[in-house]
Amino acid sequence: LADFVGRACECHGVENIYLDPKNKGYECMHRRMGITSSEFWEPLKGNKFWRDLDVLEEGVKTLAFLEDTFGRDNIFLLSKPADDIGYFIGRYEWIHKNFPKYLQRTFLHKQKHMFAGSSSLLIDDSIDNCELFQENDGTAFLYQQPWNDKGNFHPNGLLLYSKEAILKFIEQERKYYEK
């Protein structure tokens, strides 16, 4: 939903590193920038960075599709927090500003897999988050981005997000429960 990558690159004074095809498939931005993890996170501290993230139009469209498909009451936003109190304040300010109806439906938690269960579905751009969610009896769809792009096949069996994939999943679940 938010353009973390674009804003982080802007804060470091570099062009979006994922515009360069050689960075495709690399999740550790700081290594691609040639800096340490501490150097990467330092300018992102405080609520202003998180509050002022741009909204991704594709994320808005995806959320609208999910609302139409599952109903807003069945959707929660999960976000993995940074190790900074400013993150928590800024993230809630961002939700309040951009998606106020989800303010009470947002969880900031490092372990998204704690929300997994047989009737839960996660759409996430982190391979690790998706794998852990599936290992804990949830269904996960990987939202493809340049940093997680391994092509159309993931050897770990992750489902790749698309509207068609969600609708196919729903139909398969419906058939399973009709038996």
Side-chain angles (χ1 to χ4, degrees), residues 50-116:
W50 304 99
R51 180 193 66 217
D52 295 341
L53 291 174
D54 289 334
V55 175
L56 292 171
E57 186 59 35
E58 189 59 35
V60 172
K61 291 177 185 175
T62 298
L63 185 58
F65 165 72
L66 295 171
E67 288 176 348
D68 290 344
T69 304
F70 297 106
R72 184 180 300 131
D73 290 344
N74 296 308
I75 298 171
F76 294 87
L77 303 181
L78 301 177
S79 185
K80 186 175 180 178
D83 292 327
D84 171 41
I85 190 65
Y87 169 88
F88 291 88
I89 297 164
R91 197 59 160 161
Y92 277 118
E93 288 174 331
W94 186 86
I95 295 291
H96 184 262
K97 179 174 68 172
N98 297 294
F99 301 96
K101 293 177 181 173
Y102 283 94
L103 192 60
Q104 300 295 323
R105 305 184 68 72
T106 298
F107 294 91
L108 308 179
H109 200 285
K110 282 200 178 270
Q111 299 173 328
K112 293 181 181 183
H113 67 276
M114 300 296 287
F115 296 87

Side-chain angles (χ1 to χ4, degrees), residues 62 64-71 74-75 118-121 123 139 141 159 161-179:
T62 298
F65 165 72
L66 295 171
E67 288 176 348
D68 290 344
T69 304
F70 297 106
N74 296 308
I75 298 171
S118 61
S119 63
S120 58
L121 186 145
I123 300 171
T139 300
F141 286 85
L159 300 168
Y161 170 79
S162 69
K163 290 179 182 179
E164 296 77 23
I166 294 287
L167 295 173
K168 182 179 177 183
F169 169 77
I170 292 169
E171 185 59 30
Q172 288 172 341
E173 289 294 300
R174 186 175 293 131
K175 286 179 182 177
Y176 175 80
Y177 287 108
E178 287 176 352
K179 289 181 183 181

Side-chain angles (χ1 to χ4, degrees), residues 18 25 28 35 38 43 48 58 71 97 108 149 164 170:
Y18 294 109
C28 292
I35 59 177
S38 296
K48 186 175 177 353
E58 189 59 35
K97 179 174 68 172
L108 308 179
D149 191 350
E164 296 77 23
I170 292 169

